[in-house]
């Protein structure tokens, strides 16, 4: 069964460093999302992406964040200068657009020291 | 106001018993989805129920949706220790392919 994959599974970085989180959505899906979950809290929406552009973003998704689909398979989230409060589990999700059924990857646990 | 609030926050049952979790929401929705999350792991999609559906089954899972009460329930029958996880409902506001709004989840513990 097709699934969303994410790499790395765990990333440790120093405050102020740039990180890139990678996702490979399900191959025939057209809508892509990033969410994050701070430990013990709700899953929060960051950004959605369709047709090679951002379709919606939350207030969390400030100028430090960017997304890219560099080729036909990868979907990346970049955080330019990480802060301690960026420590969270980051989930990528994708949907084929029918009923907005979103399938999530296993997540990347980002730890900012 | 918060969408997708689950209750109870925590539920502990014996293996073999049924587990019922509820989700309430405040605005109109296109559909509602339930997810499972094992501790510190990814979100596993369980089931989607559309706003014009009232009940849906998948294996040992039964989901109901009452749009007049803006609520949904997830029933897991004959629970197993492996069902121990957090369960989240996520609502899809009526506008299509929009971000899902998650609740805080119900933490289910199934004791063998």
């Amino acid at each position: 069964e097709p699934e969303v994959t994410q790499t790395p599974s765990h990333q440790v970085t120093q405050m102020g460093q740039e990180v890139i989180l990678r996702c490979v959505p399900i191959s025939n899906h057209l809508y892509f999302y990033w969410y994050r979950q701070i430990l013990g809290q709700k899953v929060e929406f960051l950004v959605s992406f369709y047709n090679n552009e951002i379709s919606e973003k939350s207030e969390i998704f400030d100028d430090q964040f960017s997304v890219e689909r560099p080729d036909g398979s990868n979907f990346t989230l970049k955080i330019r200068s990480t802060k301690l409060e960026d420590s969270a589990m980051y989930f990528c999700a994708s949907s084929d657009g029918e009923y907005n059924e979103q399938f999530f990857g296993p997540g990347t646990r980002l730890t900012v020291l | 106001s918060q969408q997708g609030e689950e209750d109870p926050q925590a539920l502990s049952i014996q293996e073999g018993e049924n587990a019922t979790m509820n989700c309430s929401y405040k605005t109109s929705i296109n559909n509602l989805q339930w997810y499972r999350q094992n501790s510190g792991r990814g979100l596993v999609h369980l089931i989607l129920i559309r706003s014009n559906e009232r009940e849906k089954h998948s294996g040992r899972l039964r989901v109901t949706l009452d749009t007049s009460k803006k609520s949904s329930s997830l029933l897991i029958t004959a629970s197993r220790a492996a069902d121990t996880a957090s369960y989240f409902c996520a609502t899809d506001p009526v506008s299509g392919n929009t971000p899902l709004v998650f609740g805080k989840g119900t933490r289910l513990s199934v004791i063998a």
Side-chain angles (χ1 to χ4, degrees), chain A residues 31 33 35 37 41-43 45 48 56 89 91 95-107 109, chain B residues 2-5 30-31 33 35 37 40-43 45 48 50 88 92 96-100 102-104:
Chain A
Y31 297 83
Y33 307 84
Y35 294 81
Q37 184 183 33
Q41 297 189 23
K42 288 186 180 186
V43 175
F45 166 72
S48 57
E56 196 167 343
M89 183 78 103
F91 294 107
S95 164
D96 64 5
E98 186 175 20
Y99 308 125
N100 197 20
E101 192 168 19
Q102 295 184 23
F103 293 88
F104 284 70
R109 181 172 298 285
Chain B
Q2 297 290 326
Q3 284 282 76
E5 294 294 334
N30 200 32
N31 64 52
Q33 303 178 52
Y35 291 85
Q37 184 181 37
R41 309 290 293 276
L43 292 160
H45 188 272
L48 177 151
R50 302 200 301 271
F88 297 89
D92 176 16
N97 295 303
T98 51
L100 299 179
F102 283 80
K104 292 181 181 178

Side-chain angles (χ1 to χ4, degrees), chain B residues 12-67:
Chain B
S12 183
I13 59 173
Q14 296 289 324
E15 203 167 32
E17 293 181 338
N18 295 340
T20 299
M21 290 158 272
N22 302 298
C23 169
S24 60
Y25 57 93
K26 295 189 186 304
T27 66
S28 296
I29 60 169
N30 200 32
N31 64 52
L32 186 145
Q33 303 178 52
W34 283 92
Y35 291 85
R36 184 185 74 228
Q37 184 181 37
N38 291 79
S39 182
R41 309 290 293 276
L43 292 160
V44 175
H45 188 272
L46 295 176
I47 200 163
L48 177 151
I49 187 165
R50 302 200 301 271
S51 60
N52 62 352
E53 296 177 311
R54 291 297 166 257
E55 188 171 310
K56 205 161 180 181
H57 297 255
S58 176
R60 292 184 296 113
L61 306 181
R62 173 176 164 251
V63 169
T64 62
L65 179 64
D66 186 335
T67 52

Side-chain angles (χ1 to χ4, degrees), chain A residues 1-4 13-15 17-18 27-28 36-37 40 44 49 53 56-57 68 71 74 93-94 103 106 112-113:
Chain A
E1 189 173 329
E3 57 183 20
V4 177
T13 190
Q14 294 290 327
M15 191 168 57
Q17 295 295 303
E18 174 183 288
S27 62
N28 64 336
R36 78 172 186 191
Q37 184 183 33
E44 303 173 289
F49 193 86
E53 60 183 27
E56 196 167 343
K57 59 183 180 179
E68 197 176 38
D71 53 45
N74 289 284
S94 70
F103 293 88
V112 182
L113 303 175

